[in-house]
Amino acid sequence: GESVGLHLPTLSVQEGDNSIINCAYSNSASDYFIWYKQESGKGPQFIIDIRSNMDKRQGQRVTVLLNKTVKHLSLQIAATQPGDSAVYFCAEKIYYNAGNMLTFGGGTRLMVKP
Amino acid sequence: DTAVSQTPKYLVTQMGNDKSIKCEQNLGHDTMYWYKQDSKKFLKIMFSYNNKELIINETVPNRFSPKSPDKAHLNLHINSLELGDSAVYFCASSQGSYNEQFFGPGTRLTVL
């Protein structure tokens, strides 16, 4: 079936380095993607989103890249900090007539070493 | 001042019992959701309500019955709890169905 998935379950980076978290999706009809951050014991928190008519979108220290040709999404975090340690999820939005639902990938745990 | 709140945060109960989880949002949103997160962190939507009306029901057993008394509340009642129901349940809300969803802190349900 079609799904959203992640390549790496755990990513360990040194504080100050850049982090790249990858996500593959298989639903070619998906036109909206979101990255969420989930810290331990908390709910997912919106980080950044991107629509399929864009290839790149930048936020504060974060950049999302979308490659529709290979159905690949990535989240880049610049100058990774200890506070960035969390599980990161990509999600695609699937639209119904009356609304939408988010389909989440399996998550990648980012560990930042001091 | 919590945007989306859930109670209780932890719930431990015996198999076969009936339990409820409550969710409230003070963001003025008209759409609310319930998600289930399993032990492998996989998040899956269960229900979506818009203006107290059920919009999405993702093949959830009918032991799960959501109830929305008003736009600010979406409660989840679970009958005859089973071991497989153990998970973290997240409530979320959004303004309309096409906007960013805000998640609550989660309720960790453990069925013994």
Side-chain angles (χ1 to χ4, degrees), chain B residues 47-98:
Chain B
F47 301 102
S48 170
Y49 269 71
N50 178 262
N51 283 316
K52 303 192 297 176
E53 298 290 329
L54 178 66
I55 301 299
I56 295 171
N57 179 340
E58 279 297 297
T59 322
V60 179
N62 56 16
R63 297 184 296 105
F64 291 78
S65 52
K67 283 187 171 52
S68 183
D70 54 59
K71 287 195 308 182
H73 296 84
L74 181 62
N75 304 322
L76 184 65
H77 188 76
I78 315 170
N79 289 327
S80 303
L81 278 156
E82 300 178 357
L83 294 176
D85 297 332
S86 295
V88 181
Y89 292 84
F90 287 99
C91 177
S93 73
S94 65
Q95 180 52 37
S97 302
Y98 302 96

Side-chain angles (χ1 to χ4, degrees), chain A residues 38 43 46 89 95-96 100, chain B residues 37 41 58 90 97-98 100:
Chain A
Q38 185 178 19
F46 175 93
F89 295 93
Y95 293 95
Y96 291 79
N100 70 84
Chain B
Q37 186 173 47
K41 295 289 189 181
E58 279 297 297
F90 287 99
S97 302
Y98 302 96
E100 176 189 345

Side-chain angles (χ1 to χ4, degrees), chain A residues 65-94:
Chain A
L65 299 177
L66 175 62
N67 185 331
K68 294 180 287 292
T69 302
V70 295
K71 301 194 190 79
H72 185 267
L73 193 68
S74 69
L75 177 70
Q76 300 179 1
I77 304 173
T80 313
Q81 301 169 359
D84 294 328
S85 294
V87 176
Y88 290 81
F89 295 93
C90 67
E92 60 180 327
K93 189 166 280 189
I94 299 174

Side-chain angles (χ1 to χ4, degrees), chain A residues 1-69:
Chain A
E2 300 197 325
S3 64
V4 178
L6 294 175
H7 294 307
L8 296 172
T10 303
L11 177 64
S12 185
V13 300
Q14 203 70 38
E15 181 179 356
D17 287 352
N18 296 334
S19 303
I20 300 176
I21 300 171
N22 296 305
C23 178
Y25 66 95
S26 56
N27 187 342
S28 56
S30 297
D31 64 356
Y32 183 56
F33 304 88
I34 308 165
W35 280 100
Y36 279 87
K37 172 186 180 183
Q38 185 178 19
E39 296 175 275
S40 180
K42 297 183 179 180
Q45 181 181 15
F46 175 93
I47 301 174
I48 192 168
D49 58 3
I50 189 168
R51 298 197 179 275
S52 60
N53 61 352
M54 303 170 71
D55 297 322
K56 178 179 179 179
R57 189 159 190 232
Q58 286 185 293
Q60 188 176 15
R61 283 201 307 118
V62 294
T63 301
V64 55
L65 299 177
L66 175 62
N67 185 331
K68 294 180 287 292
T69 302

Side-chain angles (χ1 to χ4, degrees), chain B residues 6-13 17-23 34 63-67 74-81 89 107-109:
Chain B
Q6 297 177 226
T7 54
K9 187 165 177 63
Y10 299 97
L11 184 54
V12 182
T13 189
N17 284 351
D18 303 338
K19 290 293 179 185
S20 292
I21 307 172
K22 295 185 176 181
C23 177
W34 276 108
R63 297 184 296 105
F64 291 78
S65 52
K67 283 187 171 52
L74 181 62
N75 304 322
L76 184 65
H77 188 76
I78 315 170
N79 289 327
S80 303
L81 278 156
Y89 292 84
T107 295
R108 181 176 293 277
L109 171 64

